[in-house]
Amino acid sequence: MTAEVFLFWFLAIVTVVSALGVLFMPNPIYSAFSLIMTMIGVSALFALLGAYFLAGVQVIVYAGAVLVLFVMVMMLFDLKSEIKAFTKGTLGGVFKIGSVAVLAGLILSAIMVTTQGVAIKFQGQADFGMQPTRLLGNKLFTQYVIIFEILGALLLVVAVGAVALSRSKGGTHARRID
Amino acid sequence: MGSDIFEVTVNALKLVTIFLVMVSLVPSLVWLERRGAAFIQDRLGPNRVGPLGLTQLAADAVKFIFKEEFVPAKAIKFMFYGAPVFALLPASLALCALPLGPIINIIPFEAFGQTWGPYIFSIQGYEASLGILFVLAASSLAVYPILMAGWGSGNKYSLFGALRGSSQIISYELAMGLAILGVILIFGTFNLNEMVTAQNGPLSFSAFDYSMTLSFLPNWGIFYQPIGAFLFLAAAFAESNRLPFDLPEGESELVAGFHTEYGGLKMNLFFIGEYGHMIVASALMVIFYFGGYLIPGVSPEQVTQFLSGFIDSQNMTAVLSGLIHLGAFSIKVFIFLWIFIHVRWSLPRFRYDQLMELGWKTMLPWALGNLILTAVIMAAIH
Amino acid sequence: MLAESISEIGLGHFLVLSMILFITGMLGVLLRKNILTVLMSIELMLNAINLSFVAYARSLNQLDGQIIVFFIMTIAAAEAGVGLALVVAVFKRFKEVNIRFFEHLKG
């Protein structure tokens, strides 16, 4: 068993267990901490696949910024651990789980058919010709530059929208006199 | 890690040594800080225990260890105990990825009746190919111990301190990241080792078939990125929660911020984390802008040549040269650590809204402007 | 077959792992009542997709998959920003962040 194989199984167990933690933890704060563990595990898997730049960005963006926002919002809300964390209804629940299971079976069979079992091996080392990070930048700013610009505009819109939404008059504070 | 037992041992020892050096630097920094504060404020400081008060550190350590283990009634045990342990991680992970000296080439030598093949050692815990990204990622995790401590303590002041601390850290991370992007543009690499070697030699600008060499100045990053260096230093103060940005633990408002409920060894672990951040920030400052382990005016090859005049063994020369550069690096880092301490005792604390305004309305535009200026100049030259 | 699939890692392993993460996230979206947990589950699903894209990029030796991951990350961050702003709006109104309060948002 090589180090790569051992790392894969270790990281797979870490990510799956912490993902299940997101699903089953009754307190959303613990869910968030589980999700952080998942993100770090996924980032390590990226590194295992040779995508070092993405691995770094994954930790900086998700663990360093997005989930911090989640955790801060939760702490401000002072949420108690919920007794009824899951939606009600036995029939609905069975239907939901059943449909998810059907989807899982579909995806799994699609993977099995396309990869013929697990026969597809990665060939050698990750090799993209030149330095992968440099190539990534080149592609991002030439071939994909339009999508990049659109995303920039989207981020601006989202920033404005988020500020507008969170400044809307809520019920908890005294109404502002305009 | 390595191919045979010697290499594996050396590499493992390096990791352990770097961690232990970080941990054991903290008491000496605390001593330096207290004596330095006393010097700035025209007092004496701790001077009773041992020569110059140096053994005060040992006394403090004993006191920390023997304090009562105390957990508040409303605390969440898991987070309360987890936070201080987790506080050590980001700084030590980041510190291990920094190049502290040049690469040492060991030629084959005989020992224990066996030939040990050629080795290449770097004075560095481990080399990450995208070093900057790794360091940034590791230090972006530093928010979580603060949040865990604040939430786990079950205390209003702790929670406020934690919220302030985390929002401050993620706000200043932006300015810091943009300042670092300027450095990446200048050197054209993410690798910290390559950055340091690019700063070798005298300062020389070249643009449009015209080049100018200032032989009395080293080729350091600060001469290319003066604004970036200043922004980075200011953001580093905020990232490591030091005065003038120590709002998370502003004692006049929040008792002691996120570590109000901590005492004894757990408090000490937070301390080590904070000082570790200071060390990492100073080391990054030195690597980006002040030539890393390079000695100004002398290249590593010249040092090796000079040493080989005294010592026959090529391996000994290489190791000694590495240690000399490590010494140069430590001196530079200590200068910045002293700046951290000096600023702490000279500047007053910001108000919280002033802090946020400085971060978002002053430093972010300046950092963006610096980045755009650098990019335009780089594009014009090449 | 089984021993071989444990001792050798290929594209299929990463795809199956990605599927498991995706399914977990989907169950979270369908079954949990707290809006914040639902948002976090959506993040989990996006991450699962990212993993499969990177695995394909590695398998095909092409970087385009990694660029898609960049875009997905940007979208995920934007979604989290807007989602959290909505959650704050709901919390201000109802003092609770249950998914059923979203039906009051219309109009």
Side-chain angles (χ1 to χ4, degrees), chain A residues 4-19:
Chain A
E4 215 173 31
V5 175
F6 172 76
L7 271 180
F8 172 79
W9 287 111
F10 176 71
L11 292 171
I13 291 168
V14 167
T15 42
V16 170
V17 168
S18 50

Side-chain angles (χ1 to χ4, degrees), chain A residues 27 29-30 33 36 40 52-57 59-60 62-65 67-69 71-72 74-76 78-79 131 133-134, chain B residues 76 78-79 86 129-130 133-134 136-138 140-141 143-144 147-148 150-151 159-160 162-163 166-167 170 173 188-190 194:
Chain A
N27 191 334
I29 289 204
Y30 289 136
F33 278 106
I36 294 158
I40 294 172
Y52 298 107
F53 189 73
L54 278 184
V57 171
V59 175
I60 293 172
Y62 274 119
L67 280 162
V68 177
L69 282 186
V71 175
M72 275 169 67
M74 280 175 217
M75 288 182 176
L76 279 175
D78 186 26
L79 298 172
Q131 256 182 315
T133 316
R134 201 169 282 269
Chain B
I76 301 163
F78 170 67
M79 291 209 175
F86 197 43
S129 56
L130 303 178
L133 217 57
F134 182 85
L136 278 182
S140 74
L141 293 180
V143 187
Y144 291 110
L147 281 173
M148 280 164 83
W151 180 253
L159 186 60
F160 274 121
L163 289 174
S166 50
S167 49
I170 56 176
E173 218 161 54
T189 175
F190 281 97
E194 287 174 20

Side-chain angles (χ1 to χ4, degrees), chain B residues 15-286:
Chain B
L15 276 177
V16 176
T17 313
I18 291 176
F19 177 71
L20 287 183
V21 164
M22 186 192 98
V23 171
S24 55
L25 256 182
V26 172
S28 23
L29 279 176
V30 170
W31 177 82
L32 189 68
E33 176 133 30
R34 292 177 68 182
R35 292 289 288 197
F39 165 68
I40 289 168
Q41 296 171 342
D42 201 14
R43 337 178 243 116
L44 283 174
N47 65 347
R48 292 301 160 114
V49 195
L52 292 174
L54 267 171
T55 37
Q56 178 76 41
L57 323 165
D60 279 348
V62 171
K63 183 190 77 176
F64 270 132
I65 290 168
F66 284 104
K67 267 199 172 175
E68 187 197 348
E69 181 90 350
F70 175 74
V71 185
K74 288 207 170 174
I76 301 163
K77 279 259 174 73
F78 170 67
M79 291 209 175
F80 189 77
Y81 280 116
V85 179
F86 197 43
L88 273 182
L89 260 178
S92 40
L93 271 179
L95 193 68
C96 283
L98 301 177
L100 310 175
I103 286 164
I104 300 175
N105 283 309
I106 302 281
I107 54 169
F109 62 96
E110 297 268 344
F112 307 114
Q114 195 183 342
T115 314
W116 301 87
Y119 301 113
I120 298 173
F121 292 118
S122 50
I123 308 185
Q124 182 174 11
Y126 37 76
E127 187 171 355
S129 56
L130 303 178
I132 296 182
L133 217 57
F134 182 85
V135 171
L136 278 182
S139 54
S140 74
L141 293 180
V143 187
Y144 291 110
I146 295 179
L147 281 173
M148 280 164 83
W151 180 253
S153 300
N155 177 331
K156 254 184 243 175
Y157 297 116
S158 300
L159 186 60
F160 274 121
L163 289 174
R164 278 185 177 188
S166 50
S167 49
Q168 168 182 335
I169 286 178
I170 56 176
S171 310
Y172 278 79
E173 218 161 54
L174 284 172
M176 193 180 202
L178 286 173
I180 292 175
L181 277 184
V183 179
I184 295 173
L185 276 181
I186 293 282
F187 294 120
T189 175
F190 281 97
N191 193 320
L192 295 168
N193 273 313
E194 287 174 20
M195 261 183 197
V196 173
T197 39
Q199 299 180 38
N200 200 356
L203 184 66
S204 56
F205 296 103
S206 62
F208 312 116
D209 333 315
Y210 173 78
S211 72
M212 178 178 66
T213 305
L214 301 168
S215 56
F216 57 93
L217 284 177
N219 192 19
W220 285 353
I222 182 140
F223 300 113
Y224 299 96
Q225 286 280 314
I227 306 172
F230 185 70
L231 288 171
F232 182 86
L233 188 64
F237 277 100
E239 289 272 305
S240 47
N241 287 337
R242 296 276 299 185
L243 258 164
F245 302 117
D246 73 335
L247 273 300
E249 22 189 302
E251 55 274 78
S252 53
E253 304 150 29
L254 294 178
V255 191
F258 59 88
H259 51 56
T260 304
E261 300 285 1
Y262 285 89
L265 205 57
K266 297 198 283 291
M267 170 76 202
N268 210 6
L269 289 179
F270 274 118
F271 243 70
I272 295 173
E274 188 187 316
Y275 278 88
H277 272 288
M278 253 167 73
I279 296 169
V280 169
S282 314
L284 278 180
M285 187 80 197
V286 168

Side-chain angles (χ1 to χ4, degrees), chain C residues 40-92:
Chain C
M40 284 194 287
S41 301
I42 294 174
E43 298 288 333
L44 185 57
M45 287 162 78
L46 289 170
N47 257 272
I49 298 300
N50 282 353
L51 184 58
S52 71
F53 267 116
V54 175
Y56 272 118
R58 170 80 170 83
S59 159
L60 301 173
N61 264 346
Q62 280 189 340
L63 275 177
D64 300 56
Q66 296 194 15
I67 288 180
I68 304 290
V69 173
F70 263 116
F71 297 149
I72 294 179
M73 276 184 192
T74 320
I75 301 283
E79 175 247 317
V82 174
L84 282 176
L86 277 174
V87 172
V88 170
V90 167
F91 183 79
K92 271 184 186 168

